[in-house]
Amino acid sequence: MKKADIVLLKYGEIALKGLNRPMFEQRLLKNVGKALAPLGKFSIRKSQSMLYVEPLEEGIDMEIAIERMQKVFGIVNICPAVSCDKDMDSIAKTTVECLREMDVEGKTFKVEAKREDKQFPLNSPQICQQMGGVILKNVKGLKVDVHNPDILVQIEIRKKAYIFTEKVSGAGGMPVGTNGKAALLLSGGIDSPVAGWMIAKRGVGLDAVHFHSHPYTSDRAKEKVIDLAKILSAYTGKINLHVVPFTDIQLAIIDKCPKNYLTLIMRRVMMQIAERIAKQGHAQALITGESIGQVASQTMESLAVTDNAVSMPVFRPCIGMDKEEIVQISKKIDAYETSILPYEDCCTIFVPKHPKTRPDIAEIVEAEQALTNLEEMIEDAIAQDEVIVIQPE
Ligand code: ATP
Ligand code: MG
């Protein structure tokens, strides 16, 4: 295809209805701008339910630009297009040039036209008919197939005429920032980055909280979490990653609480700390990577006990997914290779041999009474919270 000089971004219908539309479009425009800024100067404008992205400098790699736009939530389709003047001669000339540069031998085609500009003298069926004839006459090797064409030649008449044959899928969802913010409990595993990605896809900005048990967990484990947050930030924009020291609390729990409740009490304290950090950052919910029955601390009874430690809503988008389904998303979002690097998590060290799968909340609350200075330890941990601002690269 002739080199695309403009990219059309289509954002579908879902969020466009109602009063939210301008807010949605403004945010999408801003998010696309941020995703592209490191590559050079672009003009990004909105017109008739689409965004138009044009490079304003020579030498910008549009393939990389498209890859970046594929990570911006809210975009359904990305169409690299060639623009030309809005008259049938120019459209015919440009379309033929485009197709001649493609390998079309033995292939079939169909023309689809859309006329947003109702002043244009031909209507859509007329454009299709006329252009079909022009293509057959001028591009060798192509045949028409209106049902199942190899090449769909799309012509849109808007401010200018746009011609394209390629539609790259976007990430879908809603632009990050249109639905508030939530705090993701981010471990170094496979599930929590996927959980964060899924909630961000619905337009939610992310903060992340990671609990670190130095020296039982290494600096490498922390670096890995920073890398995962960077991978997520390509989709979500800036993430404030809070690294919270958890060793003292963990040792106190191990020292003072019954072995079979260690993990659950630890998870409850993590949730409480995360909730406080979330509130400070104006996040409205917590996100975890839990899935029913995956481990003892993720039975329904255990999840209820974890929820009971906080008052904020807890979102667990992986809740009904099999590990394999989570892995698929992890691979799709480029987190998998990082997630599977060996690491120690503070949940995986000191794991009790016989964790309770049917915990009793009264027993747990009772057991927690042994942590007499818990409030102080929580305040201490939060005071030592290291905030790492993760920006997309
Ligand atoms: P993941 O693959 O995300 O590590 P997991 O299946 O290994 O999850 P657990 O280790 O039981 O499950 O943790 C359950 C959830 O608790 C994680 O998905 C994550 O949201 C949170 N979590 C676990 N460890 C940490 C940690 N060190 N810091 C922050 N959150 C954590
Ligand atoms: Mg884990």
Side-chain angles (χ1 to χ4, degrees), residues 278-291:
K279 279 186 182 152
Q280 283 171 8
H282 307 288
Q284 299 136 286
L286 301 176
I287 307 166
T288 78
E290 290 156 317
S291 147

Side-chain angles (χ1 to χ4, degrees), residues 100-117:
R100 279 188 182 157
E101 283 181 28
M102 290 168 64
D103 176 17
V104 298
E105 193 53 49
K107 292 197 174 146
T108 57
F109 81 99
K110 174 188 176 181
V111 181
E112 249 180 32
K114 213 186 234 172
R115 187 182 57 142
E116 286 281 350
D117 172 8

Side-chain angles (χ1 to χ4, degrees), residues 9 17 42 56 60 130 159 215 286 320 360:
L9 302 181
K17 302 189 173 83
F42 288 83
L56 295 177
I60 289 180
Q130 198 165 326
K159 205 168 167 189
L286 301 176
D360 179 316

